[in-house]
Amino acid sequence: MSEFSQQILNTQNPSLKISLIIKTTFKLLREKSEFWQTVMPVITQKAISEKVILNLRQIFMLLTQDLIQTFKAGGVKNAEMEAYQLGALMDGIALHYFYFLRRNFLSIN
């Protein structure tokens, strides 16, 4: 996640940054599927999530603030809402992906 977030934070072009977020998210889902299959259920457990979430929250908040600034620089109205909606969309895609993957509905190649 740190490498992923640094790539995004270092990208200045708004269109390239958004494209990088989307493409890298899907790349991480495919290439690190075993890691995410292990992590996703773990971070939803209350006792564990409080410890793990602190680290992930820092990364996600940094990325979200950067995305808000990117949208503002691009003249997007309500940049904060758009940034949160993109984040929610990517989270939803990841959760949906692993919901079906864990139930063997999809095969990963």
Side-chain angles (χ1 to χ4, degrees):
M1 287 300 297
S2 293
E3 183 180 323
F4 166 66
S5 62
Q6 282 306 312
Q7 272 186 309
I8 291 169
L9 294 172
N10 291 334
T11 301
Q12 299 303 313
N13 180 297
S15 296
L16 185 58
K17 184 180 294 242
I18 293 168
S19 177
L20 185 62
I21 289 170
I22 294 167
K23 288 178 181 179
T24 304
T25 297
F26 283 103
K27 181 180 177 182
L28 288 172
L29 289 173
R30 280 190 314 274
E31 293 179 4
K32 306 289 184 187
S33 62
E34 289 182 22
F35 169 75
W36 290 109
Q37 283 180 308
T38 302
V39 169
M40 296 297 272
V42 170
I43 63 174
T44 59
Q45 296 176 21
K46 185 172 174 65
I48 295 172
S49 69
E50 291 174 3
K51 296 172 186 172
V52 175
I53 290 294
L54 289 176
N55 292 330
L56 289 176
R57 182 177 291 148
Q58 288 177 327
I59 292 170
F60 288 132
M61 290 308 297
L62 185 63
L63 290 171
T64 301
Q65 291 304 313
D66 182 63
L67 192 54
I68 290 169
Q69 294 307 313
T70 298
F71 282 148
K72 283 182 180 178
V76 173
K77 292 183 181 180
N78 205 351
E80 186 173 350
M81 179 62 76
E82 294 294 335
Y84 283 113
Q85 285 180 337
L86 179 58
L89 175 66
M90 299 313 292
D91 288 346
I93 289 169
L95 289 171
H96 188 81
Y97 182 86
F98 284 108
Y99 173 79
F100 285 109
L101 181 64
R102 286 180 44 206
R103 285 157 181 76
N104 297 315
F105 291 131
L106 300 174
S107 62
I108 302 300
N109 296 321

